[in-house]
Amino acid sequence: MTAHIERVYAKQQEARATRPAPTVAERRAKLQRLHDAVLAARTEIQAALWADFRKPPAEVDLSEIYPVVGEARHAVRHLKKWAKAKRVSTPIGLFGSRSRIIYEPKGVVLIIAPWNFPINLTFGPLVSALAAGNRVILKPSELTPHSATCMRRIIESLFDEDEVALIEGDAAVSEELLARRFDHIFFTGSPAVGRIVMRAAAEHLTPVTLELGGKSPVIVDRTADLDEAARKIAWGKFFNSGQICIAPDYLLVDEAIRAPFMEKLRAAIVNESGVIVNDRHAARVKRLFDDAVSRGAKVASGGTFDGRAIAPTLLTDVDLDSAVMQEEIFGPLLPIVPYATLDEALRIIAEREKPLVLYLFSRSRRVIKDVLARTTAGGTAINDTLIHFYQSNLPFGGVGESGMGKAHGRFGFEAFSNARGVLEQPTKWSGTQLMYPPYTRWKQKLIDWTVRWF
Ligand code: NAD
């Protein structure tokens, strides 16, 4: 493996150093080819995800294929505007000069992806990296080997190794890659591995985007439409068996509407037992469940475990100190915590790490304003779940423990670009030269003026 990595890495570095950055037209052509190839491989991708973790084809379409082709189409449509040099105005003290910002590719970038949306979270960032004109090494997760092989075949059919290469392998391969100098690293995965990635990047002062996970709360306030909230929360929580970074992790419900809402939520669960990706993760979810129950939690729905198959489960009377209220769940368990006042709900959120998403179901403008003003989160969806991921005009990413840097659309393009400031002085003699030494009395006056007024 080492020799293979070394060869690919050296080729990309060589190409970066000797060839000019691809033009906008060339980048758009690459994106279009990727778009077409993903569409053409639709059934192959569906089969790979079925083999990896029994993901139903319709869900593959919605959560793997569509996000990638949608992101590619968006980039093709807008790239010219994003990549265009932007003129900026000139402050009076620099009178005569002209300035602009140009966006250049960072160079050779590394994208490390998790298993839970293997195609989406590998090819999605690839779209942004190519839009920005980079050369790319992709390292998908070893837990979804069929998807990884399928993606490698697509990449090999479209790109030279010195443009884009996909390297399959586990944490050891990841570490081998991370030992090298990249111009940007885009990592999606757990906060624990995020720390390892950032430590490795620090060795080379490589900038990172970290798309991590965490506990995303969902608040249901007394003014919410309860049928709608129940339906959308049940969908958002149990899609992919809760193995989604943006899944509602735990639910805070207004005490006044708790009983009717619980009824509706129970009725809204249409999913059957879903499959957890491997035994280790299934055992982890079971441990969270057992710990909660041993501390007094009651099972309001589900609660059956059959190897890797776990039923959608609602837990009430949950101790706030139990593991299920401390760690990211990443499985089909939903702890439900009633609150008497909004203050109490916001305190429970503030006691935890900054979330990737904060969901709110409310029809009160005042409550919506209040919650936005008094909390922080990577993103927020109001009266819906998950779908903000598909809005390419919004930045997507975390804050604090849930990550750093933003992805999608122009934000993804900027993450993979160096915004280079260029000042041009058209005249030989510019006003600023009046400030050069020797500092005579009148020059000192001019300096005083500048410091005070300009
Ligand atoms: P993970 O962190 O275990 O693995 C992610 C990637 O890192 C894999 O490619 C893996 O091979 C690699 N890796 C693992 N250990 C490594 C090490 N020691 N050194 C270097 N590389 C290593 O994550 P996962 O289990 O695949 O995914 C689940 C996590 O990802 C959850 O925490 C979830 O919230 C998060 N996630 C976040 C987003 C987001 O967009 N913010 C999306 C999906 C998943």
Side-chain angles (χ1 to χ4, degrees):
M1 184 49 78
T2 312
H4 176 54
I5 291 176
E6 192 47 51
R7 194 189 71 240
V8 170
Y9 178 80
K11 270 181 149 181
Q12 294 210 356
Q13 289 296 352
E14 165 76 14
R16 178 191 61 81
T18 55
R19 284 190 234 145
T23 64
V24 167
E26 286 165 345
R27 297 179 203 181
R28 288 175 70 186
K30 283 183 215 240
L31 292 171
Q32 192 63 49
R33 272 193 288 145
L34 177 65
H35 170 275
D36 296 348
V38 169
L39 275 189
R42 191 164 156 193
T43 42
E44 197 191 324
I45 291 173
Q46 288 170 341
L49 275 141
W50 183 259
D52 278 333
F53 60 107
R54 301 272 172 278
K55 188 161 178 167
E59 288 189 14
V60 174
D61 280 344
L62 284 174
S63 66
E64 304 279 2
I65 293 176
Y66 175 67
V68 172
V69 295
E71 187 76 6
R73 285 199 285 263
H74 184 74
V76 167
R77 215 170 288 143
H78 298 285
L79 184 56
K80 225 168 134 182
K81 193 170 69 219
W82 298 341
K84 205 170 153 199
K86 300 212 169 28
R87 289 288 296 262
V88 294
S89 59
T90 303
I92 193 158
L94 299 177
F95 180 76
S97 67
R98 276 199 304 260
S99 299
R100 64 187 188 278
I101 305 164
I102 58 175
Y103 295 91
E104 57 187 23
K106 282 192 171 169
V108 177
V109 302
L110 173 64
I111 294 173
I112 302 178
W115 61 267
N116 63 335
F117 291 94
I119 312 283
N120 178 346
L121 298 173
T122 307
F123 281 176
L126 173 63
V127 167
S128 299
L130 289 176
N134 294 280
R135 295 171 188 280
V136 190
I137 295 183
L138 301 165
K139 210 302 278 172
S141 171
E142 69 280 16
L143 299 184
T144 39
H146 295 90
S147 301
T149 304
C150 174
M151 286 191 284
R152 182 171 53 71
R153 275 208 292 270
I154 293 175
I155 292 298
E156 285 172 356
S157 73
L158 296 176
F159 300 104
D160 285 340
E161 249 181 9
D162 65 11
E163 287 179 296
V164 184
L166 186 146
I167 295 179
E168 291 173 75
D170 57 9
V173 170
S174 207
E175 279 169 22
E176 259 191 61
L177 286 163
L178 286 168
R180 290 170 168 75
R181 177 192 291 270
F182 284 91
D183 299 301
H184 191 84
I185 299 174
F186 189 107
F187 171 80
T188 308
S190 58
V193 179
R195 286 181 165 76
I196 295 173
V197 169
M198 197 166 171
R199 231 173 265 135
E203 274 308 309
H204 304 290
L205 290 179
T206 296
V208 290
T209 303
L210 301 179
E211 297 283 350
L212 311 177
K215 295 189 80 60
S216 296
V218 50
I219 304 174
V220 180
D221 139 83
R222 67 179 66 191
T223 65
D225 178 322
L226 300 189
D227 287 303
E228 179 196 10
R231 198 174 62 244
K232 290 176 174 176
I233 292 169
W235 175 69
K237 176 71 196 188
F238 299 115
F239 193 82
N240 218 30
S241 300
Q243 302 168 100
I244 310 188
C245 58
I246 52 173
D249 184 278
Y250 62 101
L251 193 151
L252 297 164
V253 59
D254 192 328
E255 183 61 62
I257 45 126
R258 189 179 63 92
F261 179 70
M262 282 300 297
E263 274 319 302
K264 291 181 194 295
L265 189 57
R266 233 182 257 132
I269 297 175
V270 292
N271 311 58
E272 318 213 319
S273 289
V275 181
I276 300 296
V277 69
N278 61 19
D279 293 340
R280 187 171 59 84
H281 276 287
R284 183 185 56 76
V285 177
K286 179 74 165 57
R287 176 179 59 76
L288 292 178
F289 175 84
D290 289 343
D291 172 73
V293 171
S294 76
R295 288 164 180 263
K298 305 224 164 42
V299 181
S301 182
T304 53
F305 291 77
D306 179 9
R308 281 164 53 198
I310 302 179
T313 298
L314 304 179
L315 293 170
T316 59
D317 302 283
V318 182
D319 180 352
L320 290 182
D321 292 328
S322 56
V324 82
M325 281 303 292
Q326 299 293 332
E327 298 169 25
E328 177 181 18
I329 298 171
F330 221 62
L333 311 180
L334 182 63
I336 296 158
V337 180
Y339 65 84
T341 61
L342 191 61
D343 283 353
E344 194 186 327
L346 299 190
R347 191 166 38 77
I348 292 171
I349 294 172
E351 282 166 2
R352 286 163 176 73
E353 297 287 358
K354 295 174 183 171
L356 183 58
V357 200
L358 185 149
Y359 292 108
L360 171 62
F361 284 83
S362 173
R363 293 290 165 195
S364 157
R365 290 316 306 174
R366 189 187 56 76
V367 170
I368 293 171
K369 219 172 126 194
D370 215 24
V371 169
L372 287 176
R374 293 169 61 195
T375 58
T376 180
T380 278
I382 296 162
N383 294 320
D384 221 321
T385 60
L386 311 190
I387 60 161
H388 61 296
F389 187 88
Y390 295 91
Q391 172 43 301
S392 302
N393 293 318
L394 283 178
F396 180 84
V399 54
E401 185 78 5
S402 56
M404 63 182 69
K406 300 289 171 177
H408 292 185
R410 92 156 283 133
F411 304 95
F413 168 84
E414 284 178 3
F416 284 107
S417 299
N418 173 42
R420 180 169 173 178
V422 179
L423 182 144
E424 225 175 312
Q425 190 64 270
T427 56
K428 199 163 160 192
W429 299 105
S430 66
T432 45
Q433 290 176 27
L434 293 173
M435 310 285 180
Y436 290 5
Y439 299 117
T440 55
R441 268 191 54 208
W442 80 269
K443 273 193 186 173
Q444 185 56 54
K445 247 205 164 70
L446 210 61
I447 292 171
D448 289 346
W449 274 11
T450 306
V451 171
R452 268 175 165 278
W453 308 110
F454 295 144

mmCIF file of all heavy atoms in Angstrom, residues 243 275-289 305-310 330:
data_model
loop_
_atom_site.group_PDB
_atom_site.id
_atom_site.type_symbol
_atom_site.label_atom_id
_atom_site.label_comp_id
_atom_site.label_asym_id
_atom_site.label_seq_id
_atom_site.Cartn_x
_atom_site.Cartn_y
_atom_site.Cartn_z
ATOM 1 N N GLN A 243 -28.585 6.416 11.834
ATOM 2 C CA GLN A 243 -27.134 6.530 11.603
ATOM 3 C C GLN A 243 -26.858 7.697 10.659
ATOM 4 O O GLN A 243 -26.331 7.547 9.564
ATOM 5 C CB GLN A 243 -26.598 5.215 11.034
ATOM 6 C CG GLN A 243 -26.887 4.041 11.962
ATOM 7 C CD GLN A 243 -26.627 2.700 11.309
ATOM 8 O OE1 GLN A 243 -25.593 2.099 11.532
ATOM 9 N NE2 GLN A 243 -27.533 2.225 10.499
ATOM 10 N N VAL A 275 -31.008 -2.109 10.200
ATOM 11 C CA VAL A 275 -29.760 -2.812 10.461
ATOM 12 C C VAL A 275 -28.654 -1.814 10.783
ATOM 13 O O VAL A 275 -28.463 -0.830 10.074
ATOM 14 C CB VAL A 275 -29.352 -3.660 9.236
ATOM 15 C CG1 VAL A 275 -28.070 -4.422 9.516
ATOM 16 C CG2 VAL A 275 -30.472 -4.622 8.885
ATOM 17 N N ILE A 276 -27.944 -2.097 11.869
ATOM 18 C CA ILE A 276 -26.805 -1.272 12.247
ATOM 19 C C ILE A 276 -25.580 -1.789 11.490
ATOM 20 O O ILE A 276 -25.465 -2.990 11.245
ATOM 21 C CB ILE A 276 -26.594 -1.351 13.777
ATOM 22 C CG1 ILE A 276 -27.832 -0.849 14.514
ATOM 23 C CG2 ILE A 276 -25.360 -0.603 14.219
ATOM 24 C CD1 ILE A 276 -28.165 0.609 14.292
ATOM 25 N N VAL A 277 -24.691 -0.891 11.129
ATOM 26 C CA VAL A 277 -23.661 -1.236 10.140
ATOM 27 C C VAL A 277 -22.780 -2.418 10.541
ATOM 28 O O VAL A 277 -22.409 -3.221 9.701
ATOM 29 C CB VAL A 277 -22.785 -0.020 9.768
ATOM 30 C CG1 VAL A 277 -21.913 0.393 10.910
ATOM 31 C CG2 VAL A 277 -21.976 -0.275 8.514
ATOM 32 N N ASN A 278 -22.425 -2.547 11.820
ATOM 33 C CA ASN A 278 -21.627 -3.721 12.207
ATOM 34 C C ASN A 278 -21.892 -4.080 13.672
ATOM 35 O O ASN A 278 -22.614 -3.365 14.386
ATOM 36 C CB ASN A 278 -20.125 -3.499 11.945
ATOM 37 C CG ASN A 278 -19.566 -2.324 12.746
ATOM 38 O OD1 ASN A 278 -20.165 -1.885 13.737
ATOM 39 N ND2 ASN A 278 -18.435 -1.812 12.329
ATOM 40 N N ASP A 279 -21.322 -5.189 14.112
ATOM 41 C CA ASP A 279 -21.603 -5.691 15.468
ATOM 42 C C ASP A 279 -21.138 -4.711 16.538
ATOM 43 O O ASP A 279 -21.789 -4.530 17.560
ATOM 44 C CB ASP A 279 -20.916 -7.042 15.675
ATOM 45 C CG ASP A 279 -21.527 -8.117 14.780
ATOM 46 O OD1 ASP A 279 -22.678 -7.904 14.322
ATOM 47 O OD2 ASP A 279 -20.862 -9.139 14.526
ATOM 48 N N ARG A 280 -20.006 -4.071 16.280
ATOM 49 C CA ARG A 280 -19.459 -3.155 17.280
ATOM 50 C C ARG A 280 -20.425 -1.986 17.526
ATOM 51 O O ARG A 280 -20.732 -1.634 18.658
ATOM 52 C CB ARG A 280 -18.096 -2.620 16.803
ATOM 53 C CG ARG A 280 -17.345 -1.797 17.829
ATOM 54 C CD ARG A 280 -15.928 -1.503 17.354
ATOM 55 N NE ARG A 280 -15.912 -0.764 16.083
ATOM 56 C CZ ARG A 280 -16.034 0.561 15.985
ATOM 57 N NH1 ARG A 280 -16.176 1.301 17.058
ATOM 58 N NH2 ARG A 280 -15.992 1.151 14.801
ATOM 59 N N HIS A 281 -20.936 -1.413 16.425
ATOM 60 C CA HIS A 281 -21.863 -0.289 16.578
ATOM 61 C C HIS A 281 -23.192 -0.756 17.183
ATOM 62 O O HIS A 281 -23.792 -0.040 17.989
ATOM 63 C CB HIS A 281 -22.097 0.409 15.238
ATOM 64 C CG HIS A 281 -21.025 1.418 14.910
ATOM 65 N ND1 HIS A 281 -20.929 2.626 15.563
ATOM 66 C CD2 HIS A 281 -19.998 1.382 14.034
ATOM 67 C CE1 HIS A 281 -19.887 3.293 15.088
ATOM 68 N NE2 HIS A 281 -19.305 2.563 14.165
ATOM 69 N N ALA A 282 -23.648 -1.975 16.812
ATOM 70 C CA ALA A 282 -24.903 -2.495 17.375
ATOM 71 C C ALA A 282 -24.736 -2.685 18.888
ATOM 72 O O ALA A 282 -25.635 -2.347 19.672
ATOM 73 C CB ALA A 282 -25.274 -3.810 16.694
ATOM 74 N N ALA A 283 -23.584 -3.197 19.291
ATOM 75 C CA ALA A 283 -23.329 -3.415 20.728
ATOM 76 C C ALA A 283 -23.267 -2.079 21.465
ATOM 77 O O ALA A 283 -23.716 -1.952 22.608
ATOM 78 C CB ALA A 283 -22.016 -4.185 20.907
ATOM 79 N N ARG A 284 -22.723 -1.066 20.793
ATOM 80 C CA ARG A 284 -22.637 0.264 21.404
ATOM 81 C C ARG A 284 -24.040 0.832 21.655
ATOM 82 O O ARG A 284 -24.326 1.358 22.736
ATOM 83 C CB ARG A 284 -21.839 1.187 20.460
ATOM 84 C CG ARG A 284 -21.597 2.576 20.961
ATOM 85 C CD ARG A 284 -20.910 3.445 19.896
ATOM 86 N NE ARG A 284 -21.658 3.505 18.642
ATOM 87 C CZ ARG A 284 -22.754 4.234 18.448
ATOM 88 N NH1 ARG A 284 -23.210 4.994 19.416
ATOM 89 N NH2 ARG A 284 -23.383 4.207 17.304
ATOM 90 N N VAL A 285 -24.933 0.682 20.671
ATOM 91 C CA VAL A 285 -26.301 1.192 20.826
ATOM 92 C C VAL A 285 -27.018 0.420 21.934
ATOM 93 O O VAL A 285 -27.723 0.994 22.764
ATOM 94 C CB VAL A 285 -27.077 1.101 19.476
ATOM 95 C CG1 VAL A 285 -28.516 1.571 19.657
ATOM 96 C CG2 VAL A 285 -26.382 1.935 18.409
ATOM 97 N N LYS A 286 -26.805 -0.893 21.980
ATOM 98 C CA LYS A 286 -27.423 -1.730 23.029
ATOM 99 C C LYS A 286 -26.937 -1.284 24.413
ATOM 100 O O LYS A 286 -27.701 -1.216 25.375
ATOM 101 C CB LYS A 286 -27.063 -3.205 22.760
ATOM 102 C CG LYS A 286 -27.605 -4.202 23.774
ATOM 103 C CD LYS A 286 -29.107 -4.404 23.570
ATOM 104 C CE LYS A 286 -29.664 -5.626 24.267
ATOM 105 N NZ LYS A 286 -29.461 -5.698 25.690
ATOM 106 N N ARG A 287 -25.648 -0.967 24.489
ATOM 107 C CA ARG A 287 -25.091 -0.517 25.777
ATOM 108 C C ARG A 287 -25.752 0.794 26.219
ATOM 109 O O ARG A 287 -26.100 0.954 27.392
ATOM 110 C CB ARG A 287 -23.559 -0.329 25.633
ATOM 111 C CG ARG A 287 -22.866 0.224 26.868
ATOM 112 C CD ARG A 287 -21.363 0.370 26.666
ATOM 113 N NE ARG A 287 -20.984 1.244 25.546
ATOM 114 C CZ ARG A 287 -21.029 2.575 25.573
ATOM 115 N NH1 ARG A 287 -21.447 3.205 26.652
ATOM 116 N NH2 ARG A 287 -20.656 3.292 24.511
ATOM 117 N N LEU A 288 -25.954 1.714 25.262
ATOM 118 C CA LEU A 288 -26.626 2.981 25.599
ATOM 119 C C LEU A 288 -28.036 2.696 26.129
ATOM 120 O O LEU A 288 -28.490 3.294 27.110
ATOM 121 C CB LEU A 288 -26.731 3.889 24.363
ATOM 122 C CG LEU A 288 -25.433 4.459 23.802
ATOM 123 C CD1 LEU A 288 -25.710 5.290 22.549
ATOM 124 C CD2 LEU A 288 -24.736 5.333 24.848
ATOM 125 N N PHE A 289 -28.731 1.762 25.472
ATOM 126 C CA PHE A 289 -30.099 1.403 25.862
ATOM 127 C C PHE A 289 -30.098 0.788 27.268
ATOM 128 O O PHE A 289 -30.858 1.205 28.149
ATOM 129 C CB PHE A 289 -30.651 0.411 24.829
ATOM 130 C CG PHE A 289 -32.008 -0.132 25.168
ATOM 131 C CD1 PHE A 289 -33.165 0.567 24.837
ATOM 132 C CD2 PHE A 289 -32.137 -1.365 25.818
ATOM 133 C CE1 PHE A 289 -34.425 0.048 25.138
ATOM 134 C CE2 PHE A 289 -33.390 -1.876 26.129
ATOM 135 C CZ PHE A 289 -34.530 -1.163 25.790
ATOM 136 N N PHE A 305 -34.102 -5.951 20.332
ATOM 137 C CA PHE A 305 -32.763 -6.073 19.743
ATOM 138 C C PHE A 305 -32.593 -7.491 19.231
ATOM 139 O O PHE A 305 -32.833 -8.443 19.953
ATOM 140 C CB PHE A 305 -31.689 -5.795 20.808
ATOM 141 C CG PHE A 305 -31.665 -4.363 21.251
ATOM 142 C CD1 PHE A 305 -32.632 -3.874 22.129
ATOM 143 C CD2 PHE A 305 -30.689 -3.492 20.804
ATOM 144 C CE1 PHE A 305 -32.624 -2.548 22.534
ATOM 145 C CE2 PHE A 305 -30.670 -2.166 21.204
ATOM 146 C CZ PHE A 305 -31.639 -1.696 22.070
ATOM 147 N N ASP A 306 -32.185 -7.611 17.968
ATOM 148 C CA ASP A 306 -31.968 -8.932 17.410
ATOM 149 C C ASP A 306 -30.675 -8.857 16.606
ATOM 150 O O ASP A 306 -30.684 -8.544 15.419
ATOM 151 C CB ASP A 306 -33.181 -9.305 16.530
ATOM 152 C CG ASP A 306 -33.010 -10.679 15.902
ATOM 153 O OD1 ASP A 306 -32.057 -11.391 16.290
ATOM 154 O OD2 ASP A 306 -33.820 -11.034 15.020
ATOM 155 N N GLY A 307 -29.578 -9.099 17.287
ATOM 156 C CA GLY A 307 -28.278 -8.945 16.634
ATOM 157 C C GLY A 307 -28.097 -7.503 16.193
ATOM 158 O O GLY A 307 -28.239 -6.576 16.992
ATOM 159 N N ARG A 308 -27.854 -7.315 14.886
ATOM 160 C CA ARG A 308 -27.647 -5.953 14.378
ATOM 161 C C ARG A 308 -28.951 -5.235 14.072
ATOM 162 O O ARG A 308 -28.934 -4.059 13.716
ATOM 163 C CB ARG A 308 -26.769 -6.010 13.123
ATOM 164 C CG ARG A 308 -25.288 -6.172 13.450
ATOM 165 C CD ARG A 308 -24.499 -6.601 12.241
ATOM 166 N NE ARG A 308 -24.730 -5.724 11.098
ATOM 167 C CZ ARG A 308 -24.442 -6.044 9.836
ATOM 168 N NH1 ARG A 308 -23.931 -7.219 9.555
ATOM 169 N NH2 ARG A 308 -24.659 -5.191 8.865
ATOM 170 N N ALA A 309 -30.099 -5.960 14.178
ATOM 171 C CA ALA A 309 -31.395 -5.315 13.893
ATOM 172 C C ALA A 309 -31.960 -4.729 15.186
ATOM 173 O O ALA A 309 -32.131 -5.426 16.175
ATOM 174 C CB ALA A 309 -32.357 -6.331 13.306
ATOM 175 N N ILE A 310 -32.217 -3.429 15.150
ATOM 176 C CA ILE A 310 -32.731 -2.749 16.346
ATOM 177 C C ILE A 310 -34.005 -2.004 15.970
ATOM 178 O O ILE A 310 -34.043 -1.280 14.968
ATOM 179 C CB ILE A 310 -31.688 -1.755 16.916
ATOM 180 C CG1 ILE A 310 -30.381 -2.496 17.245
ATOM 181 C CG2 ILE A 310 -32.232 -1.033 18.148
ATOM 182 C CD1 ILE A 310 -29.277 -1.611 17.783
ATOM 183 N N PHE A 330 -26.363 7.828 17.359
ATOM 184 C CA PHE A 330 -26.063 7.219 16.059
ATOM 185 C C PHE A 330 -26.722 5.847 15.913
ATOM 186 O O PHE A 330 -26.114 4.869 15.481
ATOM 187 C CB PHE A 330 -24.554 7.110 15.867
ATOM 188 C CG PHE A 330 -24.123 7.457 14.474
ATOM 189 C CD1 PHE A 330 -24.340 8.716 13.965
ATOM 190 C CD2 PHE A 330 -23.497 6.510 13.666
ATOM 191 C CE1 PHE A 330 -23.960 9.041 12.675
ATOM 192 C CE2 PHE A 330 -23.111 6.825 12.368
ATOM 193 C CZ PHE A 330 -23.351 8.099 11.875
#
